Structures are given as C-alpha cells and as structure tokens.
Amino acid sequence: MKYLNPFKIFDRLISVAIYAFPFLELYGFFNPFLRSVNMSSNLLEEAAFYLRENAWLNFLIFTVIIILTQSRQLNLSYFTRYNMLQALVILFMSSLIDTCGYLFPVFILAEGSLGYPIFNGCCFACLLLIIYCAIYAIRGKIPYIPLLSESLRLQIWRD
C-alpha cells in the first residue's frame, strides 16, 4: 500500500509534467527530423507552435517555477523541487539552442554545412536528457547529471 500514496503519485506527476515545457521548446525546432521518421504528432506541433508564438510564456514559466521552488508555504518535497529546478535549467538550455537556431546565419546552419549536424546533435542530446530525466522522475529517483545535479543539490540545500 505504500506505493498508492496519493502524495507520492502527485509528486511524481508534477515532476514528470514539468519536463513537458523543455520538450515542447525543442520539439518545435526538431520537428522536421521527427516528421522524417514518422514520429510527429499534430497535438505536439500545435502546443510547440503556441509556446513559440507566445514569447512571454517562457518567461512566465521560468518565474512560476522559481516562485514555486522558493516558496515555503507549499511544502513541496525535495524530489519535486529538485525536478522543477532541473527542468528550469533544461528549459533554459533548450531555449538557448532554439534561439541560436534563429540567430546564426543561414550558411552556418544550412544543410550540407558543418553547423547543421552539430546543431541537430545538440538538439538530440537535449531531447535525450529530457527523456532520461522524465524516466527517472516516473521511477521516483533523482537523475544524476554531472555538474548540474551537484549545483541543484547545493541550491536546494541552501534554501
């Protein structure tokens, strides 16, 4: 019966759901590759398009996550706070990758250039990181990512 605790289930649901934001951020850019292997979804495309069109939504998500993790009145568990901060850092990384895709000149990221496979590799690595963290959150374990995990652990213990 210890596995059916509603609080633990709610903790895991929040911890997994928060990884949807960095996933959608990358999904919008990485979608042509996913279409080529028949892994595209209309619902995900619409959600990624909505997130991209509303530029202030990312800022609002950043702010809400920071307020929720720093709030003492909510009594969020260490597991939930850790995953929220980790998703925030991954969201920042995916926003940076997405922004670089628009800022670099076309000849750097054009097909056939050296920048295209490097940029797609960064997107794919970030997607794998999101999937890795979400799987660990489903299992109720804290994912270990070198440097990032230690800095988040120190940030949470500081509070």
Side-chain angles (χ1 to χ4, degrees):
M1 284 302 195
K2 68 179 182 177
Y3 295 112
L4 298 178
N5 184 354
F7 185 70
K8 283 186 178 181
I9 292 171
F10 185 68
D11 258 2
R12 289 185 186 184
L13 282 176
I14 290 175
S15 298
V16 171
I18 201 72
Y19 288 109
F21 295 112
F23 178 77
L24 287 175
E25 182 76 29
L26 282 174
Y27 187 84
F29 181 79
F30 211 53
N31 198 18
F33 172 76
L34 294 173
R35 274 192 204 138
S36 69
V37 292
N38 294 328
M39 292 180 63
S40 185
S41 166
N42 289 335
L43 182 64
L44 288 176
E45 283 181 35
E46 289 176 16
F49 180 73
Y50 182 78
L51 189 65
R52 182 174 301 225
E53 289 300 313
N54 298 309
W56 286 99
L57 189 59
N58 269 344
F59 177 73
L60 180 66
I61 292 168
F62 276 14
T63 307
V64 167
I65 290 173
I66 288 174
I67 289 171
L68 288 176
T69 56
Q70 302 302 320
S71 175
R72 292 282 180 205
Q73 287 119 3
L74 290 178
N75 284 336
L76 293 174
S77 68
Y78 174 81
F79 176 73
T80 304
R81 290 174 59 199
Y82 182 89
N83 279 307
M84 289 177 90
L85 280 176
Q86 187 156 302
L88 178 72
V89 172
I90 295 173
L91 179 63
F92 178 73
M93 287 179 359
S94 60
S95 294
L96 181 67
I97 289 172
D98 191 35
T99 304
C100 288
Y102 290 110
L103 293 180
F104 284 137
V106 176
F107 65 89
I108 292 177
L109 292 178
E111 287 193 42
S113 68
L114 186 59
Y116 187 72
I118 292 172
F119 194 72
N120 278 341
C122 290
C123 286
F124 191 66
C126 202
L127 277 174
L128 288 178
L129 183 64
I130 293 167
I131 293 168
Y132 167 77
C133 291
I135 288 172
Y136 264 74
I138 288 171
R139 294 176 57 203
K141 299 185 186 244
I142 294 177
Y144 178 74
I145 302 166
L147 296 177
L148 179 62
S149 296
E150 290 299 320
S151 64
L152 291 177
R153 192 169 294 125
L154 290 174
Q155 174 67 27
I156 292 174
W157 282 347
R158 183 185 63 89
D159 294 334

Short mmCIF file of all heavy atoms in Angstrom, two decimals, residues 5-51:
data_model
loop_
_atom_site.label_atom_id
_atom_site.label_comp_id
_atom_site.label_asym_id
_atom_site.label_seq_id
_atom_site.Cartn_x
_atom_site.Cartn_y
_atom_site.Cartn_z
N ASN A 5 0.26 5.80 -2.23
CA ASN A 5 0.16 7.06 -1.50
C ASN A 5 -0.13 8.19 -2.49
O ASN A 5 0.65 8.43 -3.41
CB ASN A 5 1.48 7.31 -0.77
CG ASN A 5 1.44 8.55 0.10
OD1 ASN A 5 0.47 9.30 0.09
ND2 ASN A 5 2.50 8.74 0.84
N PRO A 6 -1.26 8.91 -2.33
CA PRO A 6 -1.63 9.97 -3.29
C PRO A 6 -0.60 11.10 -3.35
O PRO A 6 -0.39 11.69 -4.40
CB PRO A 6 -2.97 10.49 -2.78
CG PRO A 6 -3.47 9.49 -1.81
CD PRO A 6 -2.30 8.70 -1.33
N PHE A 7 0.06 11.38 -2.24
CA PHE A 7 1.05 12.45 -2.24
C PHE A 7 2.25 12.08 -3.11
O PHE A 7 2.75 12.91 -3.87
CB PHE A 7 1.50 12.75 -0.81
CG PHE A 7 2.43 13.92 -0.72
CD1 PHE A 7 1.97 15.21 -0.95
CD2 PHE A 7 3.76 13.73 -0.45
CE1 PHE A 7 2.83 16.29 -0.89
CE2 PHE A 7 4.63 14.80 -0.38
CZ PHE A 7 4.16 16.09 -0.60
N LYS A 8 2.69 10.82 -3.05
CA LYS A 8 3.81 10.38 -3.88
C LYS A 8 3.43 10.38 -5.36
O LYS A 8 4.22 10.74 -6.21
CB LYS A 8 4.28 8.99 -3.46
CG LYS A 8 5.11 8.98 -2.22
CD LYS A 8 5.65 7.59 -1.96
CE LYS A 8 6.52 7.59 -0.73
NZ LYS A 8 7.08 6.27 -0.47
N ILE A 9 2.20 9.96 -5.64
CA ILE A 9 1.73 9.96 -7.03
C ILE A 9 1.68 11.39 -7.56
O ILE A 9 2.11 11.66 -8.67
CB ILE A 9 0.36 9.26 -7.14
CG1 ILE A 9 0.53 7.77 -6.84
CG2 ILE A 9 -0.24 9.46 -8.52
CD1 ILE A 9 -0.79 7.03 -6.71
N PHE A 10 1.16 12.31 -6.75
CA PHE A 10 1.09 13.72 -7.15
C PHE A 10 2.49 14.30 -7.35
O PHE A 10 2.74 15.05 -8.30
CB PHE A 10 0.31 14.51 -6.09
CG PHE A 10 0.08 15.94 -6.47
CD1 PHE A 10 -0.77 16.27 -7.51
CD2 PHE A 10 0.71 16.96 -5.77
CE1 PHE A 10 -0.98 17.59 -7.85
CE2 PHE A 10 0.50 18.27 -6.10
CZ PHE A 10 -0.35 18.59 -7.15
N ASP A 11 3.42 13.95 -6.46
CA ASP A 11 4.81 14.40 -6.60
C ASP A 11 5.40 13.95 -7.92
O ASP A 11 6.04 14.72 -8.63
CB ASP A 11 5.65 13.82 -5.47
CG ASP A 11 5.94 14.81 -4.38
OD1 ASP A 11 5.45 15.95 -4.48
OD2 ASP A 11 6.66 14.45 -3.43
N ARG A 12 5.19 12.69 -8.25
CA ARG A 12 5.75 12.16 -9.49
C ARG A 12 5.08 12.78 -10.72
O ARG A 12 5.74 13.04 -11.71
CB ARG A 12 5.63 10.65 -9.52
CG ARG A 12 6.57 9.99 -8.56
CD ARG A 12 6.54 8.51 -8.67
NE ARG A 12 7.36 7.90 -7.62
CZ ARG A 12 7.57 6.62 -7.52
NH1 ARG A 12 7.03 5.80 -8.39
NH2 ARG A 12 8.31 6.15 -6.56
N LEU A 13 3.78 13.00 -10.65
CA LEU A 13 3.08 13.63 -11.78
C LEU A 13 3.60 15.03 -12.04
O LEU A 13 3.82 15.41 -13.20
CB LEU A 13 1.57 13.66 -11.52
CG LEU A 13 0.83 12.35 -11.75
CD1 LEU A 13 -0.64 12.51 -11.36
CD2 LEU A 13 0.96 11.91 -13.18
N ILE A 14 3.78 15.82 -11.00
CA ILE A 14 4.33 17.17 -11.17
C ILE A 14 5.74 17.09 -11.73
O ILE A 14 6.11 17.83 -12.63
CB ILE A 14 4.32 17.93 -9.83
CG1 ILE A 14 2.90 18.28 -9.43
CG2 ILE A 14 5.15 19.21 -9.92
CD1 ILE A 14 2.79 18.92 -8.06
N SER A 15 6.53 16.18 -11.17
CA SER A 15 7.93 16.07 -11.59
C SER A 15 8.08 15.64 -13.04
O SER A 15 9.02 16.06 -13.72
CB SER A 15 8.67 15.09 -10.68
OG SER A 15 8.66 15.56 -9.35
N VAL A 16 7.17 14.82 -13.53
CA VAL A 16 7.23 14.40 -14.93
C VAL A 16 6.63 15.48 -15.84
O VAL A 16 7.18 15.79 -16.90
CB VAL A 16 6.51 13.05 -15.13
CG1 VAL A 16 6.38 12.71 -16.60
CG2 VAL A 16 7.25 11.96 -14.40
N ALA A 17 5.51 16.06 -15.42
CA ALA A 17 4.82 17.05 -16.26
C ALA A 17 5.67 18.29 -16.50
O ALA A 17 5.54 18.92 -17.55
CB ALA A 17 3.49 17.44 -15.61
N ILE A 18 6.52 18.64 -15.58
CA ILE A 18 7.31 19.86 -15.72
C ILE A 18 8.33 19.73 -16.86
O ILE A 18 8.74 20.73 -17.45
CB ILE A 18 8.00 20.23 -14.38
CG1 ILE A 18 8.39 21.69 -14.35
CG2 ILE A 18 9.18 19.35 -14.10
CD1 ILE A 18 7.25 22.63 -14.24
N TYR A 19 8.69 18.51 -17.22
CA TYR A 19 9.63 18.29 -18.33
C TYR A 19 8.97 18.47 -19.70
O TYR A 19 9.64 18.42 -20.72
CB TYR A 19 10.28 16.92 -18.24
CG TYR A 19 11.29 16.81 -17.11
CD1 TYR A 19 11.02 16.06 -15.98
CD2 TYR A 19 12.49 17.49 -17.18
CE1 TYR A 19 11.92 15.98 -14.94
CE2 TYR A 19 13.40 17.42 -16.15
CZ TYR A 19 13.11 16.66 -15.03
OH TYR A 19 14.01 16.59 -14.01
N ALA A 20 7.66 18.69 -19.71
CA ALA A 20 6.97 18.91 -20.98
C ALA A 20 7.36 20.24 -21.61
O ALA A 20 7.39 20.37 -22.83
CB ALA A 20 5.45 18.87 -20.77
N PHE A 21 7.66 21.24 -20.79
CA PHE A 21 8.00 22.55 -21.33
C PHE A 21 9.32 22.56 -22.11
O PHE A 21 9.35 23.05 -23.24
CB PHE A 21 8.01 23.61 -20.22
CG PHE A 21 6.66 23.81 -19.62
CD1 PHE A 21 6.39 23.43 -18.33
CD2 PHE A 21 5.62 24.35 -20.37
CE1 PHE A 21 5.14 23.60 -17.77
CE2 PHE A 21 4.36 24.52 -19.82
CZ PHE A 21 4.12 24.15 -18.52
N PRO A 22 10.42 22.02 -21.58
CA PRO A 22 11.62 21.97 -22.43
C PRO A 22 11.45 21.04 -23.63
O PRO A 22 12.01 21.30 -24.70
CB PRO A 22 12.73 21.49 -21.50
CG PRO A 22 12.08 21.00 -20.29
CD PRO A 22 10.71 21.60 -20.22
N PHE A 23 10.65 19.97 -23.48
CA PHE A 23 10.41 19.08 -24.61
C PHE A 23 9.69 19.82 -25.74
O PHE A 23 10.07 19.70 -26.90
CB PHE A 23 9.59 17.87 -24.15
CG PHE A 23 9.26 16.93 -25.27
CD1 PHE A 23 10.21 16.06 -25.76
CD2 PHE A 23 8.00 16.93 -25.84
CE1 PHE A 23 9.92 15.20 -26.80
CE2 PHE A 23 7.68 16.07 -26.88
CZ PHE A 23 8.65 15.20 -27.36
N LEU A 24 8.66 20.59 -25.39
CA LEU A 24 7.93 21.33 -26.42
C LEU A 24 8.79 22.42 -27.05
O LEU A 24 8.65 22.72 -28.23
CB LEU A 24 6.66 21.95 -25.82
CG LEU A 24 5.54 20.98 -25.53
CD1 LEU A 24 4.40 21.69 -24.84
CD2 LEU A 24 5.06 20.30 -26.79
N GLU A 25 9.67 23.00 -26.26
CA GLU A 25 10.57 24.03 -26.80
C GLU A 25 11.45 23.45 -27.89
O GLU A 25 11.65 24.06 -28.94
CB GLU A 25 11.43 24.59 -25.66
CG GLU A 25 12.36 25.67 -26.08
CD GLU A 25 11.67 26.99 -26.30
OE1 GLU A 25 10.65 27.25 -25.65
OE2 GLU A 25 12.17 27.77 -27.13
N LEU A 26 11.97 22.26 -27.66
CA LEU A 26 12.82 21.61 -28.67
C LEU A 26 12.01 20.94 -29.77
O LEU A 26 12.48 20.82 -30.89
CB LEU A 26 13.73 20.58 -28.01
CG LEU A 26 14.93 21.16 -27.30
CD1 LEU A 26 15.67 20.06 -26.58
CD2 LEU A 26 15.84 21.88 -28.25
N TYR A 27 10.82 20.49 -29.45
CA TYR A 27 10.01 19.79 -30.43
C TYR A 27 9.69 20.68 -31.63
O TYR A 27 9.67 20.21 -32.76
CB TYR A 27 8.71 19.30 -29.79
CG TYR A 27 7.89 18.41 -30.69
CD1 TYR A 27 8.18 17.06 -30.79
CD2 TYR A 27 6.86 18.93 -31.45
CE1 TYR A 27 7.44 16.24 -31.60
CE2 TYR A 27 6.12 18.11 -32.29
CZ TYR A 27 6.41 16.78 -32.36
OH TYR A 27 5.68 15.97 -33.18
N GLY A 28 9.45 21.96 -31.36
CA GLY A 28 9.15 22.88 -32.46
C GLY A 28 10.29 23.01 -33.45
O GLY A 28 10.09 23.09 -34.66
N PHE A 29 11.51 23.00 -32.95
CA PHE A 29 12.66 23.13 -33.84
C PHE A 29 13.05 21.79 -34.45
O PHE A 29 13.43 21.69 -35.61
CB PHE A 29 13.87 23.71 -33.11
CG PHE A 29 15.06 23.87 -33.99
CD1 PHE A 29 15.15 24.95 -34.86
CD2 PHE A 29 16.06 22.93 -34.01
CE1 PHE A 29 16.23 25.08 -35.71
CE2 PHE A 29 17.14 23.06 -34.85
CZ PHE A 29 17.22 24.14 -35.70
N PHE A 30 12.94 20.73 -33.67
CA PHE A 30 13.41 19.42 -34.08
C PHE A 30 12.36 18.64 -34.86
O PHE A 30 12.57 17.51 -35.26
CB PHE A 30 13.82 18.64 -32.82
CG PHE A 30 14.92 17.66 -33.03
CD1 PHE A 30 16.12 18.05 -33.60
CD2 PHE A 30 14.78 16.35 -32.65
CE1 PHE A 30 17.15 17.15 -33.78
CE2 PHE A 30 15.79 15.44 -32.82
CZ PHE A 30 16.98 15.85 -33.39
N ASN A 31 11.20 19.24 -35.10
CA ASN A 31 10.08 18.56 -35.73
C ASN A 31 10.36 18.06 -37.16
O ASN A 31 9.89 17.00 -37.51
CB ASN A 31 8.85 19.45 -35.71
CG ASN A 31 7.59 18.68 -35.93
OD1 ASN A 31 7.56 17.47 -35.78
ND2 ASN A 31 6.54 19.37 -36.30
N PRO A 32 11.09 18.77 -38.01
CA PRO A 32 11.36 18.21 -39.35
C PRO A 32 12.06 16.85 -39.30
O PRO A 32 11.74 15.96 -40.08
CB PRO A 32 12.26 19.26 -40.01
CG PRO A 32 11.89 20.53 -39.34
CD PRO A 32 11.57 20.16 -37.92
N PHE A 33 12.97 16.67 -38.36
CA PHE A 33 13.62 15.36 -38.21
C PHE A 33 12.61 14.32 -37.76
O PHE A 33 12.58 13.20 -38.27
CB PHE A 33 14.77 15.44 -37.21
CG PHE A 33 15.34 14.10 -36.86
CD1 PHE A 33 16.17 13.43 -37.74
CD2 PHE A 33 15.03 13.51 -35.64
CE1 PHE A 33 16.68 12.19 -37.43
CE2 PHE A 33 15.54 12.27 -35.32
CZ PHE A 33 16.37 11.61 -36.20
N LEU A 34 11.74 14.67 -36.81
CA LEU A 34 10.76 13.73 -36.30
C LEU A 34 9.73 13.36 -37.37
O LEU A 34 9.24 12.25 -37.41
CB LEU A 34 10.07 14.29 -35.06
CG LEU A 34 10.97 14.48 -33.85
CD1 LEU A 34 10.22 15.19 -32.74
CD2 LEU A 34 11.50 13.15 -33.36
N ARG A 35 9.41 14.32 -38.24
CA ARG A 35 8.49 14.01 -39.34
C ARG A 35 9.11 13.02 -40.31
O ARG A 35 8.41 12.18 -40.88
CB ARG A 35 8.14 15.30 -40.10
CG ARG A 35 7.01 16.04 -39.51
CD ARG A 35 6.55 17.11 -40.48
NE ARG A 35 5.88 18.14 -39.72
CZ ARG A 35 6.03 19.42 -39.92
NH1 ARG A 35 6.80 19.86 -40.88
NH2 ARG A 35 5.38 20.28 -39.19
N SER A 36 10.42 13.12 -40.51
CA SER A 36 11.07 12.24 -41.47
C SER A 36 11.09 10.78 -41.01
O SER A 36 11.19 9.88 -41.81
CB SER A 36 12.49 12.71 -41.76
OG SER A 36 13.31 12.53 -40.61
N VAL A 37 10.98 10.56 -39.70
CA VAL A 37 10.95 9.18 -39.19
C VAL A 37 9.55 8.81 -38.69
O VAL A 37 9.38 7.88 -37.91
CB VAL A 37 11.99 8.96 -38.07
CG1 VAL A 37 13.39 9.02 -38.62
CG2 VAL A 37 11.80 9.94 -36.93
N ASN A 38 8.53 9.57 -39.12
CA ASN A 38 7.11 9.33 -38.80
C ASN A 38 6.84 9.31 -37.29
O ASN A 38 6.11 8.47 -36.79
CB ASN A 38 6.62 8.03 -39.43
CG ASN A 38 6.60 8.11 -40.93
OD1 ASN A 38 6.37 9.18 -41.49
ND2 ASN A 38 6.85 6.99 -41.59
N MET A 39 7.45 10.24 -36.55
CA MET A 39 7.22 10.34 -35.11
C MET A 39 6.60 11.69 -34.75
O MET A 39 6.74 12.16 -33.64
CB MET A 39 8.53 10.16 -34.35
CG MET A 39 9.10 8.77 -34.44
SD MET A 39 10.62 8.58 -33.53
CE MET A 39 10.09 8.90 -31.87
N SER A 40 5.92 12.30 -35.68
CA SER A 40 5.34 13.62 -35.46
C SER A 40 3.90 13.49 -34.98
O SER A 40 3.21 12.53 -35.30
CB SER A 40 5.40 14.42 -36.75
OG SER A 40 4.96 15.73 -36.52
N SER A 41 3.45 14.49 -34.21
CA SER A 41 2.09 14.48 -33.69
C SER A 41 1.48 15.87 -33.87
O SER A 41 2.14 16.88 -33.57
CB SER A 41 2.10 14.11 -32.21
OG SER A 41 0.87 14.40 -31.61
N ASN A 42 0.25 15.94 -34.36
CA ASN A 42 -0.40 17.23 -34.57
C ASN A 42 -0.60 17.98 -33.26
O ASN A 42 -0.45 19.20 -33.20
CB ASN A 42 -1.74 17.05 -35.28
CG ASN A 42 -1.55 16.65 -36.72
OD1 ASN A 42 -0.52 16.93 -37.33
ND2 ASN A 42 -2.55 15.97 -37.27
N LEU A 43 -0.96 17.27 -32.20
CA LEU A 43 -1.17 17.90 -30.90
C LEU A 43 0.11 18.53 -30.37
O LEU A 43 0.11 19.66 -29.89
CB LEU A 43 -1.72 16.88 -29.91
CG LEU A 43 -2.04 17.41 -28.52
CD1 LEU A 43 -3.16 18.43 -28.59
CD2 LEU A 43 -2.41 16.27 -27.60
N LEU A 44 1.22 17.80 -30.48
CA LEU A 44 2.51 18.34 -30.04
C LEU A 44 2.95 19.51 -30.91
O LEU A 44 3.53 20.47 -30.41
CB LEU A 44 3.57 17.25 -30.04
CG LEU A 44 3.46 16.20 -28.96
CD1 LEU A 44 4.51 15.13 -29.14
CD2 LEU A 44 3.57 16.81 -27.58
N GLU A 45 2.67 19.43 -32.21
CA GLU A 45 3.02 20.54 -33.10
C GLU A 45 2.27 21.81 -32.72
O GLU A 45 2.85 22.89 -32.69
CB GLU A 45 2.71 20.18 -34.55
CG GLU A 45 3.70 19.25 -35.18
CD GLU A 45 3.36 18.95 -36.62
OE1 GLU A 45 2.84 19.84 -37.32
OE2 GLU A 45 3.61 17.82 -37.04
N GLU A 46 0.97 21.67 -32.43
CA GLU A 46 0.18 22.84 -32.03
C GLU A 46 0.66 23.42 -30.71
O GLU A 46 0.74 24.64 -30.55
CB GLU A 46 -1.29 22.47 -31.94
CG GLU A 46 -1.94 22.19 -33.28
CD GLU A 46 -3.38 21.73 -33.14
OE1 GLU A 46 -3.96 21.91 -32.06
OE2 GLU A 46 -3.90 21.20 -34.13
N ALA A 47 0.97 22.56 -29.75
CA ALA A 47 1.46 23.03 -28.45
C ALA A 47 2.81 23.72 -28.60
O ALA A 47 3.05 24.77 -27.99
CB ALA A 47 1.54 21.87 -27.47
N ALA A 48 3.70 23.15 -29.41
CA ALA A 48 5.01 23.77 -29.63
C ALA A 48 4.87 25.10 -30.36
O ALA A 48 5.56 26.07 -30.04
CB ALA A 48 5.91 22.82 -30.41
N PHE A 49 3.96 25.17 -31.32
CA PHE A 49 3.71 26.41 -32.05
C PHE A 49 3.16 27.48 -31.11
O PHE A 49 3.57 28.64 -31.16
CB PHE A 49 2.74 26.16 -33.21
CG PHE A 49 2.44 27.39 -34.01
CD1 PHE A 49 3.38 27.93 -34.87
CD2 PHE A 49 1.21 28.03 -33.88
CE1 PHE A 49 3.11 29.06 -35.61
CE2 PHE A 49 0.93 29.16 -34.61
CZ PHE A 49 1.88 29.69 -35.47
N TYR A 50 2.24 27.10 -30.22
CA TYR A 50 1.67 28.05 -29.26
C TYR A 50 2.74 28.57 -28.31
O TYR A 50 2.79 29.77 -28.01
CB TYR A 50 0.55 27.37 -28.47
CG TYR A 50 -0.13 28.28 -27.49
CD1 TYR A 50 -1.07 29.20 -27.93
CD2 TYR A 50 0.17 28.23 -26.14
CE1 TYR A 50 -1.70 30.05 -27.04
CE2 TYR A 50 -0.46 29.07 -25.25
CZ TYR A 50 -1.39 29.98 -25.70
OH TYR A 50 -2.00 30.82 -24.82
N LEU A 51 3.62 27.69 -27.86
CA LEU A 51 4.70 28.10 -26.97
C LEU A 51 5.67 29.04 -27.67
O LEU A 51 6.16 30.00 -27.08
CB LEU A 51 5.45 26.86 -26.45
CG LEU A 51 6.47 27.07 -25.37
CD1 LEU A 51 5.81 27.55 -24.10
CD2 LEU A 51 7.23 25.78 -25.10
#
